Amino acid sequence: MGAYRFMMLERGWKMLFYKYGRDVKFAVLCMILVGLYACKDQSEKPQAESTKEQRREPSGSKSPAGGEKPKLPWIQDDFNRAKSLAEKDKKPLVIDMWAGWCHTCLSMKNYVLNDPSLMTLADRFVWLEVDTEKIQNAMLIAKYPPSVWPTFLVLGGKEYGVQARHLGATSASRFREFLLSGERGHLQSLVEKGTIDQNDPLGKVRSGDRLALAGKPEKAYENYMEAIRKAPDDWSRKPEVLLAALTSLYKSAQWPACMDLGLRYAKQMGNGPATADFLSIAKYCSEQLERNDPRIEKFEVMGVKILEGLDVDANAPLSADDRSEVLRILRQFHESRKDQDKARRSAEKQLAMLDDAAAKAPGPQAAATYNWPRAEVYVYLGQGAKIIAALEKSVRDLPKHYDPPYRLAWVLYTLGEYDRAHEEAEKALKLAYGPRKARIYGLLSDIQVGRKDFKAALGASRNMLELFKSLPEGQKNPQTQKEAQEKILKILEMQKKAD
Protein backbone atom coordinates (compact mmCIF):
# COMPACT_ATOMS: atom_id res chain seq x y z
CA MET A 1 0.00 0.00 0.00
CA GLY A 2 1.96 2.54 0.43
CA ALA A 3 1.27 4.57 -2.53
CA TYR A 4 -0.83 6.66 -1.09
CA ARG A 5 1.94 6.08 1.17
CA PHE A 6 2.18 9.29 -0.37
CA MET A 7 0.40 12.33 -0.70
CA MET A 8 1.29 13.51 2.68
CA LEU A 9 4.41 14.62 1.03
CA GLU A 10 2.64 17.40 -0.67
CA ARG A 11 0.99 18.89 2.35
CA GLY A 12 3.73 17.82 4.70
CA TRP A 13 2.35 15.50 7.26
CA LYS A 14 2.66 14.96 10.87
CA MET A 15 5.75 12.96 11.35
CA LEU A 16 5.91 9.78 13.22
CA PHE A 17 9.15 11.11 14.53
CA TYR A 18 7.75 14.12 16.35
CA LYS A 19 9.09 12.63 19.53
CA TYR A 20 12.69 13.04 18.40
CA GLY A 21 12.37 16.79 18.12
CA ARG A 22 14.42 16.74 14.95
CA ASP A 23 13.54 17.91 11.49
CA VAL A 24 13.21 14.55 9.79
CA LYS A 25 10.19 15.24 7.62
CA PHE A 26 12.08 14.50 4.48
CA ALA A 27 12.61 10.96 5.56
CA VAL A 28 9.11 9.90 5.18
CA LEU A 29 9.01 10.83 1.59
CA CYS A 30 7.53 7.59 0.54
CA MET A 31 5.14 6.90 3.28
CA ILE A 32 1.96 8.32 2.57
CA LEU A 33 -0.82 9.88 3.37
CA VAL A 34 -0.08 8.17 6.01
CA GLY A 35 0.69 5.39 4.55
CA LEU A 36 2.05 7.65 1.62
CA TYR A 37 -1.19 6.55 -0.08
CA ALA A 38 0.25 3.98 -1.97
CA CYS A 39 -1.91 1.04 -2.02
CA LYS A 40 -5.15 -0.22 -2.14
CA ASP A 41 -7.49 -2.75 -3.23
CA GLN A 42 -10.80 -4.31 -2.97
CA SER A 43 -13.91 -5.50 -1.56
CA GLU A 44 -13.29 -9.13 -1.33
CA LYS A 45 -10.52 -11.48 -2.08
CA PRO A 46 -10.15 -11.15 -5.83
CA GLN A 47 -10.84 -14.30 -7.67
CA ALA A 48 -8.60 -15.35 -10.44
CA GLU A 49 -10.09 -14.32 -13.71
CA SER A 50 -11.34 -17.24 -15.67
CA THR A 51 -10.17 -16.91 -19.23
CA LYS A 52 -10.15 -19.24 -22.14
CA GLU A 53 -7.54 -17.39 -24.12
CA GLN A 54 -4.90 -19.65 -25.52
CA ARG A 55 -1.78 -19.58 -23.36
CA ARG A 56 1.08 -18.57 -25.59
CA GLU A 57 4.57 -17.58 -24.62
CA PRO A 58 4.65 -13.79 -24.66
CA SER A 59 7.80 -11.95 -25.61
CA GLY A 60 9.95 -11.32 -22.58
CA SER A 61 8.13 -13.88 -20.49
CA LYS A 62 10.38 -16.92 -20.65
CA SER A 63 11.56 -18.10 -17.30
CA PRO A 64 15.26 -17.46 -17.00
CA ALA A 65 17.63 -20.11 -15.80
CA GLY A 66 17.76 -20.47 -12.06
CA GLY A 67 14.00 -20.47 -11.51
CA GLU A 68 13.52 -16.70 -11.63
CA LYS A 69 10.03 -15.46 -12.34
CA PRO A 70 9.23 -14.35 -15.88
CA LYS A 71 9.24 -10.62 -16.57
CA LEU A 72 7.14 -8.30 -18.67
CA PRO A 73 9.06 -6.63 -21.54
CA TRP A 74 9.41 -3.19 -19.99
CA ILE A 75 10.96 -0.30 -21.92
CA GLN A 76 12.82 1.99 -19.54
CA ASP A 77 12.42 5.77 -19.56
CA ASP A 78 11.76 6.22 -23.28
CA PHE A 79 8.21 7.44 -23.82
CA ASN A 80 8.68 8.37 -27.48
CA ARG A 81 9.94 4.92 -28.36
CA ALA A 82 7.21 3.19 -26.38
CA LYS A 83 4.45 5.32 -27.88
CA SER A 84 5.79 4.79 -31.40
CA LEU A 85 5.75 1.03 -30.89
CA ALA A 86 2.23 1.18 -29.47
CA GLU A 87 0.95 3.28 -32.38
CA LYS A 88 2.67 1.07 -34.93
CA ASP A 89 1.14 -2.11 -33.52
CA LYS A 90 -2.13 -0.45 -32.41
CA LYS A 91 -1.59 -1.64 -28.86
CA PRO A 92 -2.42 0.14 -25.60
CA LEU A 93 0.54 1.56 -23.69
CA VAL A 94 1.02 0.73 -20.00
CA ILE A 95 3.04 3.22 -17.93
CA ASP A 96 4.47 2.45 -14.50
CA MET A 97 5.43 5.73 -12.77
CA TRP A 98 7.74 4.71 -9.95
CA ALA A 99 10.78 5.82 -7.93
CA GLY A 100 13.67 4.01 -6.30
CA TRP A 101 12.82 5.41 -2.85
CA CYS A 102 9.26 4.06 -2.97
CA HIS A 103 8.88 0.76 -1.10
CA THR A 104 5.42 0.19 -2.57
CA CYS A 105 6.89 0.54 -6.05
CA LEU A 106 9.54 -2.06 -5.21
CA SER A 107 6.94 -4.37 -3.73
CA MET A 108 4.84 -4.16 -6.92
CA LYS A 109 7.89 -4.85 -9.10
CA ASN A 110 9.17 -7.76 -7.06
CA TYR A 111 5.94 -9.46 -6.02
CA VAL A 112 3.10 -8.47 -8.36
CA LEU A 113 4.25 -7.34 -11.81
CA ASN A 114 6.17 -10.59 -12.30
CA ASP A 115 3.15 -12.74 -11.49
CA PRO A 116 2.64 -15.51 -14.08
CA SER A 117 -1.02 -14.55 -14.50
CA LEU A 118 0.08 -11.31 -16.18
CA MET A 119 2.39 -12.94 -18.70
CA THR A 120 -0.41 -13.93 -21.05
CA LEU A 121 -1.02 -10.21 -21.57
CA ALA A 122 2.59 -9.34 -22.37
CA ASP A 123 2.11 -9.20 -26.15
CA ARG A 124 -1.16 -7.26 -25.96
CA PHE A 125 0.42 -4.08 -24.56
CA VAL A 126 3.56 -2.00 -24.82
CA TRP A 127 5.13 -1.59 -21.38
CA LEU A 128 6.97 1.52 -20.15
CA GLU A 129 8.71 2.10 -16.82
CA VAL A 130 9.17 5.77 -15.90
CA ASP A 131 11.53 6.69 -13.06
CA THR A 132 9.97 9.94 -11.86
CA GLU A 133 13.28 11.14 -10.41
CA LYS A 134 14.99 11.27 -13.82
CA ILE A 135 15.15 14.67 -15.51
CA GLN A 136 14.53 13.10 -18.92
CA ASN A 137 11.02 12.12 -17.76
CA ALA A 138 10.02 15.56 -16.52
CA MET A 139 7.83 16.45 -19.52
CA LEU A 140 5.90 13.21 -19.21
CA ILE A 141 5.46 13.75 -15.46
CA ALA A 142 4.14 17.25 -16.14
CA LYS A 143 1.57 15.81 -18.53
CA TYR A 144 0.54 12.93 -16.26
CA PRO A 145 1.41 14.11 -12.73
CA PRO A 146 1.36 11.26 -10.21
CA SER A 147 -0.33 12.02 -6.92
CA VAL A 148 0.94 8.78 -5.40
CA TRP A 149 3.69 6.30 -6.08
CA PRO A 150 3.37 4.11 -7.97
CA THR A 151 0.82 5.40 -10.45
CA PHE A 152 -0.10 3.17 -13.39
CA LEU A 153 -1.70 4.39 -16.61
CA VAL A 154 -3.06 2.73 -19.72
CA LEU A 155 -2.97 5.04 -22.73
CA GLY A 156 -4.72 4.18 -25.96
CA GLY A 157 -7.28 5.03 -28.58
CA LYS A 158 -6.90 7.23 -31.62
CA GLU A 159 -5.17 10.01 -29.67
CA TYR A 160 -3.55 7.79 -27.05
CA GLY A 161 -5.44 9.37 -24.19
CA VAL A 162 -5.80 7.97 -20.69
CA GLN A 163 -8.01 4.87 -20.76
CA ALA A 164 -7.37 3.68 -17.19
CA ARG A 165 -5.45 4.77 -14.10
CA HIS A 166 -4.50 2.89 -10.95
CA LEU A 167 -3.03 4.42 -7.80
CA GLY A 168 -0.67 2.51 -5.54
CA ALA A 169 -0.47 -1.20 -4.81
CA THR A 170 -2.86 -3.97 -5.74
CA SER A 171 -2.99 -7.72 -6.26
CA ALA A 172 -2.06 -9.43 -9.51
CA SER A 173 -5.68 -10.29 -10.30
CA ARG A 174 -6.80 -6.69 -9.73
CA PHE A 175 -3.92 -5.37 -11.79
CA ARG A 176 -4.95 -7.69 -14.60
CA GLU A 177 -8.49 -6.33 -14.35
CA PHE A 178 -7.11 -2.78 -14.55
CA LEU A 179 -5.14 -3.70 -17.69
CA LEU A 180 -8.15 -5.29 -19.35
CA SER A 181 -10.34 -2.27 -18.63
CA GLY A 182 -7.70 -0.06 -20.24
CA GLU A 183 -7.49 -2.37 -23.24
CA ARG A 184 -11.25 -2.28 -23.56
CA GLY A 185 -11.22 1.52 -23.67
CA HIS A 186 -8.43 1.46 -26.24
CA LEU A 187 -10.20 -0.94 -28.55
CA GLN A 188 -13.58 0.76 -28.27
CA SER A 189 -12.05 4.14 -29.04
CA LEU A 190 -10.53 2.75 -32.24
CA VAL A 191 -13.89 1.82 -33.72
CA GLU A 192 -16.14 4.33 -35.46
CA LYS A 193 -17.67 6.74 -32.92
CA GLY A 194 -15.29 4.99 -30.62
CA THR A 195 -15.47 5.91 -27.02
CA ILE A 196 -16.87 4.17 -24.01
CA ASP A 197 -20.45 5.25 -23.35
CA GLN A 198 -20.19 8.08 -20.83
CA ASN A 199 -23.22 6.66 -19.03
CA ASP A 200 -21.24 3.50 -18.41
CA PRO A 201 -19.56 3.54 -14.96
CA LEU A 202 -16.24 2.82 -16.65
CA GLY A 203 -16.74 5.87 -18.85
CA LYS A 204 -17.26 8.02 -15.77
CA VAL A 205 -14.14 6.59 -14.19
CA ARG A 206 -12.11 7.39 -17.30
CA SER A 207 -13.44 10.94 -17.29
CA GLY A 208 -12.58 11.23 -13.61
CA ASP A 209 -9.04 9.98 -14.23
CA ARG A 210 -8.49 12.50 -17.00
CA LEU A 211 -9.83 15.35 -14.90
CA ALA A 212 -7.65 14.33 -11.96
CA LEU A 213 -4.56 14.35 -14.17
CA ALA A 214 -5.60 17.75 -15.52
CA GLY A 215 -5.56 19.18 -11.99
CA LYS A 216 -9.34 19.36 -11.56
CA PRO A 217 -9.99 17.22 -8.48
CA GLU A 218 -13.46 18.63 -7.76
CA LYS A 219 -14.72 17.63 -11.21
CA ALA A 220 -12.90 14.32 -10.96
CA TYR A 221 -14.70 13.58 -7.69
CA GLU A 222 -18.10 14.20 -9.32
CA ASN A 223 -17.33 11.71 -12.07
CA TYR A 224 -16.02 9.06 -9.70
CA MET A 225 -19.13 9.29 -7.52
CA GLU A 226 -21.38 9.19 -10.58
CA ALA A 227 -19.63 5.95 -11.50
CA ILE A 228 -20.32 4.58 -8.01
CA ARG A 229 -24.00 5.52 -8.29
CA LYS A 230 -24.38 3.88 -11.71
CA ALA A 231 -22.48 0.69 -10.85
CA PRO A 232 -23.95 -2.39 -9.15
CA ASP A 233 -23.25 -2.79 -5.44
CA ASP A 234 -20.86 -5.67 -6.07
CA TRP A 235 -18.86 -3.84 -8.76
CA SER A 236 -15.31 -5.20 -8.58
CA ARG A 237 -13.77 -1.76 -9.21
CA LYS A 238 -15.70 -0.04 -6.46
CA PRO A 239 -12.86 0.08 -3.88
CA GLU A 240 -10.32 1.66 -6.21
CA VAL A 241 -12.86 4.19 -7.53
CA LEU A 242 -13.84 5.15 -3.98
CA LEU A 243 -10.16 5.58 -3.19
CA ALA A 244 -9.76 7.85 -6.22
CA ALA A 245 -12.82 9.85 -5.12
CA LEU A 246 -11.47 10.28 -1.59
CA THR A 247 -8.09 11.29 -2.99
CA SER A 248 -9.81 13.98 -5.07
CA LEU A 249 -11.41 15.43 -1.94
CA TYR A 250 -8.04 15.37 -0.20
CA LYS A 251 -6.36 17.10 -3.14
CA SER A 252 -8.98 19.86 -3.09
CA ALA A 253 -8.77 20.23 0.73
CA GLN A 254 -12.45 19.43 1.23
CA TRP A 255 -11.90 18.07 4.72
CA PRO A 256 -15.51 17.69 5.98
CA ALA A 257 -16.62 16.03 2.74
CA CYS A 258 -13.58 13.75 2.87
CA MET A 259 -14.43 12.76 6.44
CA ASP A 260 -18.06 12.07 5.47
CA LEU A 261 -17.03 9.91 2.52
CA GLY A 262 -14.69 7.96 4.76
CA LEU A 263 -17.43 7.33 7.29
CA ARG A 264 -19.95 6.32 4.66
CA TYR A 265 -17.86 3.91 2.62
CA ALA A 266 -15.01 2.55 4.78
CA LYS A 267 -16.92 -0.63 5.57
CA GLN A 268 -17.50 -1.23 1.85
CA MET A 269 -13.82 -1.20 0.90
CA GLY A 270 -13.24 -4.93 1.37
CA ASN A 271 -9.99 -6.63 2.31
CA GLY A 272 -7.50 -5.43 -0.27
CA PRO A 273 -4.69 -2.83 -0.08
CA ALA A 274 -7.09 0.00 -0.97
CA THR A 275 -8.77 -0.27 2.41
CA ALA A 276 -5.83 0.83 4.54
CA ASP A 277 -5.04 3.63 2.09
CA PHE A 278 -8.66 4.78 2.18
CA LEU A 279 -8.61 4.87 5.99
CA SER A 280 -5.26 6.64 5.99
CA ILE A 281 -6.46 9.46 3.77
CA ALA A 282 -9.74 9.81 5.67
CA LYS A 283 -7.76 9.95 8.92
CA TYR A 284 -5.65 12.80 7.60
CA CYS A 285 -8.83 14.65 6.63
CA SER A 286 -10.23 14.09 10.13
CA GLU A 287 -7.11 15.68 11.61
CA GLN A 288 -7.94 18.92 9.80
CA LEU A 289 -11.24 19.19 11.69
CA GLU A 290 -11.85 20.36 15.24
CA ARG A 291 -10.90 17.53 17.57
CA ASN A 292 -14.29 17.68 19.30
CA ASP A 293 -16.11 16.93 16.03
CA PRO A 294 -18.26 13.86 16.91
CA ARG A 295 -17.51 12.25 13.55
CA ILE A 296 -13.88 11.73 14.52
CA GLU A 297 -14.57 9.39 17.43
CA LYS A 298 -16.98 7.34 15.33
CA PHE A 299 -14.48 7.13 12.48
CA GLU A 300 -11.54 6.15 14.68
CA VAL A 301 -13.47 3.35 16.39
CA MET A 302 -14.57 2.04 13.00
CA GLY A 303 -11.08 2.40 11.53
CA VAL A 304 -9.43 0.42 14.31
CA LYS A 305 -11.97 -2.37 13.94
CA ILE A 306 -11.50 -2.56 10.15
CA LEU A 307 -7.70 -2.52 10.35
CA GLU A 308 -7.62 -5.14 13.10
CA GLY A 309 -9.85 -7.31 10.92
CA LEU A 310 -7.50 -6.89 7.95
CA ASP A 311 -4.52 -7.76 10.10
CA VAL A 312 -5.92 -11.16 11.08
CA ASP A 313 -7.49 -11.96 7.68
CA ALA A 314 -5.17 -14.64 6.33
CA ASN A 315 -7.07 -14.76 3.04
CA ALA A 316 -6.80 -11.05 2.29
CA PRO A 317 -4.94 -10.40 -1.00
CA LEU A 318 -2.17 -8.44 0.71
CA SER A 319 1.57 -8.56 0.17
CA ALA A 320 3.97 -8.33 3.10
CA ASP A 321 4.43 -4.65 2.29
CA ASP A 322 0.65 -4.18 2.32
CA ARG A 323 0.32 -5.91 5.68
CA SER A 324 3.09 -3.72 7.04
CA GLU A 325 1.09 -0.67 6.01
CA VAL A 326 -2.04 -2.03 7.69
CA LEU A 327 -0.13 -2.29 10.96
CA ARG A 328 1.57 1.08 10.56
CA ILE A 329 -1.73 2.85 9.94
CA LEU A 330 -3.35 0.90 12.81
CA ARG A 331 -0.52 2.20 14.99
CA GLN A 332 -1.40 5.74 13.98
CA PHE A 333 -5.03 5.18 14.88
CA HIS A 334 -4.00 3.90 18.32
CA GLU A 335 -1.74 6.92 18.82
CA SER A 336 -4.59 9.26 17.93
CA ARG A 337 -6.62 7.54 20.62
CA LYS A 338 -3.67 7.88 23.02
CA ASP A 339 -3.36 4.12 23.44
CA GLN A 340 0.43 3.82 23.37
CA ASP A 341 0.45 0.19 24.53
CA LYS A 342 -1.59 -0.93 21.54
CA ALA A 343 0.43 1.31 19.22
CA ARG A 344 3.63 -0.33 20.40
CA ARG A 345 2.19 -3.83 20.03
CA SER A 346 1.19 -2.99 16.45
CA ALA A 347 4.73 -1.79 15.77
CA GLU A 348 6.27 -4.91 17.29
CA LYS A 349 4.05 -7.14 15.19
CA GLN A 350 4.87 -5.10 12.09
CA LEU A 351 8.58 -5.41 12.80
CA ALA A 352 8.46 -9.19 13.20
CA MET A 353 6.52 -9.53 9.94
CA LEU A 354 8.91 -7.24 8.03
CA ASP A 355 12.02 -9.01 9.32
CA ASP A 356 10.56 -12.33 8.22
CA ALA A 357 9.66 -10.97 4.77
CA ALA A 358 13.14 -9.51 4.29
CA ALA A 359 14.76 -12.80 5.31
CA LYS A 360 12.64 -14.67 2.75
CA ALA A 361 13.16 -12.18 -0.09
CA PRO A 362 14.53 -13.87 -3.24
CA GLY A 363 17.36 -11.38 -3.71
CA PRO A 364 18.90 -8.06 -2.62
CA GLN A 365 16.56 -5.92 -4.74
CA ALA A 366 13.49 -7.62 -3.33
CA ALA A 367 14.89 -7.38 0.21
CA ALA A 368 15.38 -3.62 -0.32
CA THR A 369 11.59 -3.33 -0.56
CA TYR A 370 11.60 -3.50 3.23
CA ASN A 371 14.52 -1.16 4.00
CA TRP A 372 12.43 1.91 4.70
CA PRO A 373 9.51 0.26 6.55
CA ARG A 374 11.97 -1.65 8.73
CA ALA A 375 14.08 1.43 9.40
CA GLU A 376 11.02 3.45 10.35
CA VAL A 377 9.61 0.89 12.77
CA TYR A 378 12.98 0.08 14.37
CA VAL A 379 13.50 3.79 15.05
CA TYR A 380 9.92 4.15 16.30
CA LEU A 381 10.57 1.38 18.82
CA GLY A 382 13.84 2.97 19.94
CA GLN A 383 15.85 0.12 18.42
CA GLY A 384 17.46 1.85 15.45
CA ALA A 385 20.87 0.30 16.11
CA LYS A 386 19.44 -3.16 15.37
CA ILE A 387 18.73 -2.35 11.69
CA ILE A 388 22.21 -0.98 10.95
CA ALA A 389 23.79 -4.30 9.91
CA ALA A 390 20.93 -5.13 7.51
CA LEU A 391 21.14 -1.70 5.88
CA GLU A 392 24.92 -1.95 5.59
CA LYS A 393 24.45 -5.27 3.79
CA SER A 394 21.93 -3.66 1.44
CA VAL A 395 24.46 -0.93 0.65
CA ARG A 396 27.05 -3.58 -0.23
CA ASP A 397 24.59 -5.68 -2.23
CA LEU A 398 23.26 -2.72 -4.26
CA PRO A 399 26.30 -0.47 -4.82
CA LYS A 400 24.68 1.50 -7.64
CA HIS A 401 21.48 2.34 -5.77
CA TYR A 402 21.07 5.57 -3.80
CA ASP A 403 18.31 4.44 -1.47
CA PRO A 404 20.16 1.95 0.80
CA PRO A 405 22.87 4.44 1.90
CA TYR A 406 20.20 7.14 2.23
CA ARG A 407 18.13 4.99 4.61
CA LEU A 408 21.26 3.99 6.52
CA ALA A 409 22.32 7.63 6.86
CA TRP A 410 18.90 8.55 8.21
CA VAL A 411 18.95 5.83 10.88
CA LEU A 412 22.48 6.82 11.92
CA TYR A 413 21.29 10.42 12.12
CA THR A 414 18.45 9.51 14.49
CA LEU A 415 21.02 7.70 16.65
CA GLY A 416 23.23 10.78 16.82
CA GLU A 417 26.07 9.08 14.91
CA TYR A 418 26.62 12.13 12.76
CA ASP A 419 30.03 11.30 11.28
CA ARG A 420 28.90 7.93 9.96
CA ALA A 421 25.58 9.41 8.86
CA HIS A 422 27.44 12.09 6.89
CA GLU A 423 29.59 9.48 5.18
CA GLU A 424 26.58 7.42 4.04
CA ALA A 425 24.60 10.49 2.98
CA GLU A 426 27.52 11.65 0.81
CA LYS A 427 27.60 8.20 -0.72
CA ALA A 428 23.88 8.42 -1.50
CA LEU A 429 24.32 11.94 -2.90
CA LYS A 430 26.82 10.72 -5.50
CA LEU A 431 24.34 8.10 -6.72
CA ALA A 432 21.13 10.15 -6.59
CA TYR A 433 19.45 12.37 -9.18
CA GLY A 434 16.40 14.57 -9.52
CA PRO A 435 14.25 15.60 -6.54
CA ARG A 436 15.66 12.83 -4.36
CA LYS A 437 19.13 14.37 -4.57
CA ALA A 438 17.72 17.57 -3.10
CA ARG A 439 16.20 15.56 -0.27
CA ILE A 440 19.61 14.10 0.49
CA TYR A 441 20.99 17.64 0.76
CA GLY A 442 18.23 18.17 3.32
CA LEU A 443 19.46 15.18 5.31
CA LEU A 444 23.03 16.43 5.11
CA SER A 445 21.82 19.76 6.47
CA ASP A 446 20.14 18.04 9.40
CA ILE A 447 23.30 16.05 10.11
CA GLN A 448 25.35 19.25 10.19
CA VAL A 449 22.84 20.82 12.56
CA GLY A 450 23.38 17.81 14.80
CA ARG A 451 27.09 18.53 14.67
CA LYS A 452 26.38 22.21 15.49
CA ASP A 453 28.11 23.16 12.23
CA PHE A 454 25.54 25.71 11.14
CA LYS A 455 27.67 27.08 8.32
CA ALA A 456 27.83 23.65 6.67
CA ALA A 457 24.15 23.13 7.39
CA LEU A 458 23.31 26.38 5.59
CA GLY A 459 25.41 25.33 2.63
CA ALA A 460 23.60 22.01 2.31
CA SER A 461 20.19 23.66 2.70
CA ARG A 462 21.01 26.22 0.03
CA ASN A 463 22.11 23.42 -2.28
CA MET A 464 18.78 21.78 -1.57
CA LEU A 465 16.88 24.93 -2.46
CA GLU A 466 18.87 25.62 -5.62
CA LEU A 467 18.41 22.07 -6.84
CA PHE A 468 14.65 22.24 -6.23
CA LYS A 469 14.53 25.53 -8.14
CA SER A 470 16.52 24.10 -11.06
CA LEU A 471 14.20 21.14 -11.63
CA PRO A 472 12.19 21.21 -14.86
CA GLU A 473 8.42 21.55 -14.95
CA GLY A 474 6.90 18.28 -13.91
CA GLN A 475 9.43 17.83 -11.12
CA LYS A 476 9.32 21.38 -9.78
CA ASN A 477 7.17 21.71 -6.65
CA PRO A 478 6.54 25.06 -4.88
CA GLN A 479 5.95 23.24 -1.59
CA THR A 480 9.41 21.66 -1.56
CA GLN A 481 10.99 25.03 -2.30
CA LYS A 482 9.05 26.52 0.59
CA GLU A 483 10.26 23.72 2.89
CA ALA A 484 13.88 24.41 1.87
CA GLN A 485 13.47 28.14 2.48
CA GLU A 486 11.96 27.47 5.90
CA LYS A 487 14.85 25.15 6.72
CA ILE A 488 17.35 27.90 5.85
CA LEU A 489 15.54 30.41 8.07
CA LYS A 490 15.39 27.90 10.91
CA ILE A 491 19.15 27.27 10.69
CA LEU A 492 19.91 30.99 10.57
CA GLU A 493 17.90 31.42 13.76
CA MET A 494 19.79 28.55 15.44
CA GLN A 495 23.08 30.03 14.30
CA LYS A 496 22.12 33.41 15.72
CA LYS A 497 21.26 31.87 19.09
CA ALA A 498 24.50 29.89 19.12
CA ASP A 499 26.54 33.04 18.48
Side-chain angles (χ1 to χ4, degrees), residues 212-473:
L213 289 168
K216 299 177 180 178
E218 297 94 339
K219 292 292 185 183
Y221 168 76
E222 293 173 5
N223 278 267
Y224 291 136
M225 294 311 297
E226 185 66 18
I228 293 296
R229 286 189 286 271
K230 290 179 178 296
D233 289 341
D234 60 351
W235 190 31
S236 63
R237 297 201 64 191
K238 186 175 184 178
E240 64 199 37
V241 175
L242 285 170
L243 182 59
L246 193 71
T247 301
S248 296
L249 292 175
Y250 159 79
K251 295 285 284 185
S252 54
Q254 297 185 55
W255 312 127
C258 178
M259 177 79 276
D260 289 339
L261 192 73
L263 275 169
R264 180 177 178 183
Y265 286 106
K267 291 181 179 179
Q268 300 181 36
M269 289 296 294
N271 66 351
T275 304
D277 288 336
F278 186 89
L279 289 168
S280 178
I281 299 170
K283 183 178 187 300
Y284 180 83
C285 294
S286 75
E287 291 168 353
Q288 313 315 306
L289 306 177
E290 293 294 331
R291 183 62 198 176
N292 60 1
D293 189 311
R295 290 173 294 182
I296 296 177
E297 170 71 12
K298 182 178 180 182
F299 170 71
E300 288 181 346
V301 170
M302 178 177 64
V304 167
K305 185 174 181 180
I306 291 171
L307 289 165
E308 287 178 340
L310 269 180
D311 175 41
V312 299
D313 185 352
N315 294 319
L318 301 173
S319 68
D321 187 63
D322 296 332
R323 290 187 179 279
S324 169
E325 281 299 293
V326 168
L327 288 164
R328 188 184 65 77
I329 296 167
L330 178 59
R331 185 208 318 168
Q332 291 182 336
F333 271 80
H334 287 318
E335 286 182 334
S336 293
R337 299 181 63 72
K338 304 193 182 312
D339 193 334
Q340 292 302 321
D341 288 341
K342 286 185 178 180
R344 187 172 183 86
R345 286 199 293 273
S346 294
E348 289 170 344
K349 185 171 184 179
Q350 180 190 8
L351 180 58
M353 187 272 298
L354 285 169
D355 283 347
D356 181 64
K360 293 176 179 176
Q365 185 65 64
T369 299
Y370 309 107
N371 280 352
W372 167 243
R374 293 175 76 198
E376 183 276 317
V377 74
Y378 269 108
V379 169
Y380 175 86
L381 290 169
Q383 302 173 19
K386 293 183 179 180
I387 189 64
I388 296 297
L391 291 175
E392 289 175 336
K393 183 177 186 303
S394 187
V395 171
R396 293 192 301 271
D397 289 343
L398 301 169
K400 296 182 180 180
H401 293 246
Y402 62 77
D403 200 61
Y406 175 59
R407 302 305 182 186
L408 176 56
W410 178 78
V411 174
L412 290 166
Y413 162 68
T414 67
L415 294 171
E417 297 188 30
Y418 302 125
D419 290 345
R420 291 183 64 199
H422 185 271
E423 180 182 348
E424 294 300 329
E426 287 285 358
K427 191 181 299 182
L429 189 69
K430 292 176 182 177
L431 296 168
Y433 44 87
R436 176 53 48 160
K437 189 166 187 173
R439 292 286 177 177
I440 297 172
Y441 276 124
L443 174 54
L444 282 165
S445 176
D446 292 332
I447 292 168
Q448 298 295 6
V449 168
R451 287 171 154 176
K452 307 299 183 186
D453 187 342
F454 299 114
K455 182 178 179 180
L458 279 172
S461 292
R462 286 167 176 155
N463 286 337
M464 177 186 185
L465 177 59
E466 290 308 309
L467 201 158
F468 276 139
K469 285 182 176 180
S470 71
L471 293 171
E473 295 302 322

Side-chain angles (χ1 to χ4, degrees), residues 2-192:
Y4 287 93
R5 293 160 200 179
F6 61 87
M7 305 182 300
M8 293 304 61
L9 302 174
E10 302 175 23
R11 293 194 187 271
W13 28 279
K14 302 178 177 172
M15 252 14 290
L16 297 166
F17 309 108
Y18 63 90
K19 58 184 180 181
Y20 299 110
R22 296 173 178 166
D23 180 13
V24 293
K25 278 195 280 191
F26 65 91
V28 190
L29 228 196
C30 179
M31 284 174 68
I32 65 171
L33 209 188
V34 89
L36 251 208
Y37 83 23
C39 298
K40 29 293 82 345
D41 197 344
Q42 326 345 140
S43 16
E44 31 186 45
K45 183 178 181 183
Q47 304 208 345
E49 222 176 302
S50 134
T51 131
K52 298 192 177 182
E53 65 181 323
Q54 182 177 359
R55 187 174 181 92
R56 49 184 180 150
E57 186 126 76
S59 59
S61 72
K62 291 187 178 181
S63 295
E68 294 181 19
K69 286 188 176 182
K71 296 179 180 180
L72 295 167
W74 294 99
I75 295 170
Q76 294 184 344
D77 302 307
D78 193 340
F79 176 71
N80 290 335
R81 179 186 166 213
K83 187 181 178 187
S84 294
L85 286 173
E87 290 175 333
K88 175 178 175 289
D89 295 335
K90 295 184 173 55
K91 294 179 180 179
L93 171 60
V94 180
I95 302 179
D96 173 7
M97 304 183 84
W98 73 290
W101 50 260
C102 167
H103 62 94
T104 303
C105 304
L106 297 179
S107 179
M108 286 293 293
K109 286 181 182 296
N110 290 303
Y111 297 101
V112 175
L113 298 181
N114 56 5
D115 191 273
S117 67
L118 301 178
M119 297 307 138
T120 57
L121 301 179
D123 282 339
R124 286 162 54 173
F125 297 83
V126 173
W127 308 82
L128 174 66
E129 288 183 329
V130 174
D131 183 342
T132 60
E133 298 292 302
K134 291 186 176 179
I135 301 298
Q136 70 204 63
N137 295 324
M139 289 182 64
L140 184 65
I141 296 165
K143 186 173 182 179
Y144 305 112
S147 54
V148 312
W149 280 258
T151 288
F152 296 96
L153 303 173
V154 178
L155 307 185
K158 294 178 180 178
E159 304 299 327
Y160 272 81
V162 175
Q163 304 299 328
R165 184 178 71 139
H166 184 86
L167 305 175
T170 189
S171 64
S173 61
R174 290 303 192 201
F175 192 75
R176 181 182 173 92
E177 183 178 342
F178 153 75
L179 294 173
L180 294 176
S181 70
E183 183 185 47
R184 173 188 165 195
H186 167 70
L187 295 174
Q188 289 190 349
S189 66
L190 290 180
V191 303
E192 191 175 357

Side-chain angles (χ1 to χ4, degrees), residues 193-205:
K193 299 182 180 180
T195 60
I196 296 175
D197 182 354
Q198 289 305 299
N199 289 318
D200 184 309
L202 190 59
K204 289 295 180 183
V205 172

